[in-house]
Amino acid sequence: MSIYLSAAHKSSGKTVVSLGICGALKAQKLAVQPFKKGPDYIDPIWLTQASGKPCYNLDFYNMTEAEILQLYGDKNSTADISIIEGNKGLYDGMSVTGGDANADLAKLLDIPVILVVDTTGITRGVAALVKGYQDFDQEVNIAGVILNKVAGERHQSKLVQAIEYYTDIPLIGSVRRSKALIIDERHLGLMPANETPQSQQFINSASQLIADQVDLNKLIGLEQNTQTEQTASIKLSTPQLRVAIAKDSSFGFYYQDDLDKFSELDVELIYFNTLEDSSLPECDGLFIGGGFPEMQLEALSANQSLLKDIKLKIEQGLPTYAECGGLMYLTQQITNQADSYPMVGVIDADTSMTPKPIGRGYVQLEPTKEHPWKNVASTIFAHEFHYSKLDNIDPNTRYAFKVLRGVGVDNKRDGILKYNLLACYTHLRNVAGNQWVEQFVDFIRTIKNPSL
């Protein structure tokens, strides 16, 4: 079975409710499979920790409906319950006529929606809001409501009376406003769990509060049609390669299905810590994903042994792919406010943090003739989220992509090329229209064995 958790608008607290539900159901010994709509890394990190199972993203922008159904069906088939957390509001999307909103995903997957309602400053009007969302698209099965950020018993009583009198939607829970249900936020959204030592303590507390205030039996008893169709993946028989991946409190933004694809291609993933390890593990390729390196600049810069080893290996031709935080890490230095810290220094540019977003949202790329990988799609749909920019870029820098939509490095180009390195601000997603993992792996094999 599956539940789609959405809200009337963003910042309604649905992520904390989702975490609490995942943790509470896990505590009941249920196998909970989390999903997240859209291009998000931070919420999936939390949902993975709360559920104990890797979270997968479902995104209309870079996935076909068939891909979404296959990924969902594959992962849902091994779970007792799947929790899909929406983004923004239930009907919010890029198109004014719909087609890419949470409501559309819930309809595609044919699963019920639980509407999480921020009740701050509202009483009787909650019924108008809920009924309006129910009537807006009657093909969406809004199967229940969770009242969130409730001020107290009197407030709750007025809300419940209004819901019960004016609507026929079941009330699934009423969650009181609590400091214990607040996660620190920063410019890109919720603080990643991999940066927060107390993250498990927070999840445990949220799970207990949600278990006490949400009727979990009613939640998992909702009638629905569960899709379990799946297509078995084919594991290719190829010579094994080893790819080193930076994964720690500075770098942790990776799509789980991208990592799964490496394994399907018989690639062994070797994780290393940029703050603690003195050198790269033995590897045939290197992948440094996104994150928040600006929060660990002193520690990253102090690990000179690793910085020098990464620079040397890339200069010697190690096939490398880096994106966003990884790109920043490979530049000469990162400046945050007035303080500058030396980084790997393989890219001839400096990184400067900015108080406002430089690039944030979906992007569209077109590969240039310089792109070193084979079989690259003619148009790539991806996304970017960065509060930094590059300064003092070498004018002779080569680029792998022309930016058709978005910002990239300089509003025109993205994908800096040097040696066997490709580094970009864009976050790529391995989907049918952009099989970048297979392209990167083929590139590694070619570099390792030029006769292929």
Side-chain angles (χ1 to χ4, degrees):
M1 68 167 299
S2 301
I3 298 296
Y4 200 116
L5 287 164
S6 190
H9 55 79
K10 65 177 299 185
S11 300
S12 296
K14 67 179 178 300
T15 294
V16 174
V17 172
S18 300
L19 292 176
I21 289 175
C22 285
L25 294 176
K26 179 188 175 187
Q28 293 185 3
K29 308 302 182 184
L30 294 176
V32 183
Q33 176 60 62
F35 296 89
K36 174 68 182 183
K37 181 186 182 293
D40 191 320
Y41 288 112
I42 299 175
D43 289 359
I45 292 175
W46 281 97
L47 290 166
T48 294
Q49 185 169 346
S51 66
K53 291 176 72 71
C55 180
Y56 291 84
N57 297 67
L58 306 172
D59 191 344
F60 283 117
Y61 186 72
N62 53 30
M63 300 175 73
T64 65
E65 290 188 356
E67 283 182 282
I68 291 173
L69 287 168
Q70 179 174 330
L71 177 59
Y72 165 74
D74 180 32
K75 302 306 173 184
N76 179 58
S77 66
T78 62
D80 295 316
I81 182 170
S82 290
I83 301 295
I84 297 92
E85 186 202 337
N87 64 340
K88 300 183 179 180
L90 178 60
Y91 295 110
D92 296 330
M94 296 176 66
S95 172
V96 70
T97 57
D100 59 1
N102 293 281
D104 300 293
L105 184 56
K107 288 191 292 184
L108 176 65
L109 302 179
D110 195 18
I111 58 178
V113 172
I114 301 299
L115 194 65
V116 179
V117 179
D118 180 352
T119 64
T120 303
I122 192 171
T123 52
R124 182 170 175 260
V126 71
L129 185 153
V130 170
K131 192 163 182 60
Y133 271 71
Q134 185 181 35
D135 293 342
F136 188 80
D137 185 345
Q138 296 187 12
E139 293 182 6
V140 178
N141 177 18
I142 300 180
V145 173
I146 294 178
L147 303 174
N148 196 29
K149 304 181 183 179
V150 178
E153 186 173 343
R154 187 165 177 264
H155 187 207
Q156 177 176 320
S157 177
K158 291 183 177 181
L159 294 167
V160 172
Q161 288 179 38
I163 292 287
E164 293 180 344
Y165 186 81
Y166 290 103
T167 81
D168 59 356
I169 299 179
L171 183 65
I172 304 298
S174 180
V175 181
R176 297 290 178 88
R177 186 181 300 139
S178 171
K179 292 182 178 179
L181 294 177
I182 298 175
I183 303 177
D184 291 335
E185 294 193 14
R186 70 155 68 114
H187 48 241
L188 290 185
L190 292 174
M191 182 179 293
N194 62 319
E195 292 186 24
T196 313
Q198 298 82 20
S199 57
Q200 189 59 53
Q201 181 180 346
F202 174 86
I203 289 170
N204 293 342
S205 177
S207 300
Q208 185 59 58
L209 288 171
I210 293 299
D212 292 340
Q213 300 177 77
V214 172
D215 190 335
L216 297 176
N217 291 329
K218 185 183 290 188
L219 181 73
I220 62 180
L222 296 171
E223 294 183 5
Q224 60 184 292
N225 296 320
T226 303
Q227 299 189 30
T228 58
E229 182 179 350
Q230 59 178 315
T231 302
S233 60
I234 301 174
K235 188 173 179 63
L236 303 179
S237 178
T238 54
Q240 190 178 74
L241 299 175
R242 293 164 57 94
V243 170
I245 296 186
K247 194 171 185 183
D248 47 49
S249 59
S250 294
F251 303 100
F253 292 0
Y254 300 99
Y255 282 124
Q256 182 60 44
D257 37 340
D258 286 7
L259 303 181
D260 291 349
K261 188 62 179 180
F262 278 105
S263 298
E264 289 177 21
L265 295 171
D266 206 22
V267 174
E268 181 182 2
L269 301 179
I270 311 297
Y271 295 99
F272 69 97
N273 190 310
T274 57
L275 303 172
E276 300 176 0
D277 293 334
S278 59
S279 63
L280 286 177
E282 182 180 344
C283 60
D284 304 297
L286 172 62
F287 178 19
I288 308 177
F292 290 122
E294 67 270 25
M295 304 304 295
Q296 303 275 1
L297 290 178
E298 186 173 357
L300 288 171
S301 187
N303 192 355
Q304 285 292 308
S305 176
L306 179 62
L307 295 177
K308 292 177 181 178
D309 188 54
I310 292 176
K311 185 173 188 293
L312 176 63
K313 297 292 175 51
I314 293 177
E315 290 176 342
Q316 290 176 340
L318 179 68
T320 302
Y321 172 61
E323 56 185 30
C324 202
L327 163 66
M328 296 160 59
Y329 181 61
L330 295 179
T331 60
Q332 300 294 318
Q333 62 180 7
I334 299 178
T335 299
N336 192 12
Q337 297 179 342
D339 299 320
S340 298
Y341 296 87
M343 292 291 134
V344 173
V346 75
I347 292 177
D348 297 317
D350 300 324
T351 301
S352 297
M353 302 307 303
T354 59
K356 295 182 179 181
I358 297 296
R360 185 172 186 175
Y362 288 120
V363 302
Q364 189 174 340
L365 305 175
E366 179 183 288
T368 69
K369 293 181 180 179
E370 298 273 8
H371 202 301
W373 303 351
K374 297 178 180 178
N375 302 317
V376 179
S378 58
T379 304
I380 294 172
F381 298 91
H383 65 100
E384 62 182 346
F385 293 90
H386 54 101
Y387 279 62
S388 69
K389 61 185 181 72
L390 298 190
D391 299 317
N392 306 318
I393 304 173
D394 184 342
N396 296 317
T397 296
R398 298 180 297 118
Y399 296 89
F401 299 112
K402 176 183 178 182
V403 176
L404 304 180
R405 169 184 172 151
V407 176
V409 169
D410 61 0
N411 291 295
K412 298 179 294 183
R413 299 165 296 187
D414 202 2
I416 291 176
L417 298 171
K418 191 171 184 182
Y419 307 111
N420 290 321
L421 162 70
L422 167 57
C424 52
Y425 266 123
T426 298
H427 294 276
L428 299 181
R429 175 86 184 273
N430 191 82
V431 291
N434 178 34
Q435 298 181 32
W436 78 264
V437 173
E438 187 168 350
Q439 296 157 14
F440 180 45
V441 170
D442 286 344
F443 179 67
I444 295 171
R445 291 197 180 101
T446 300
I447 296 302
K448 186 175 181 181
N449 186 356
S451 63
L452 290 177

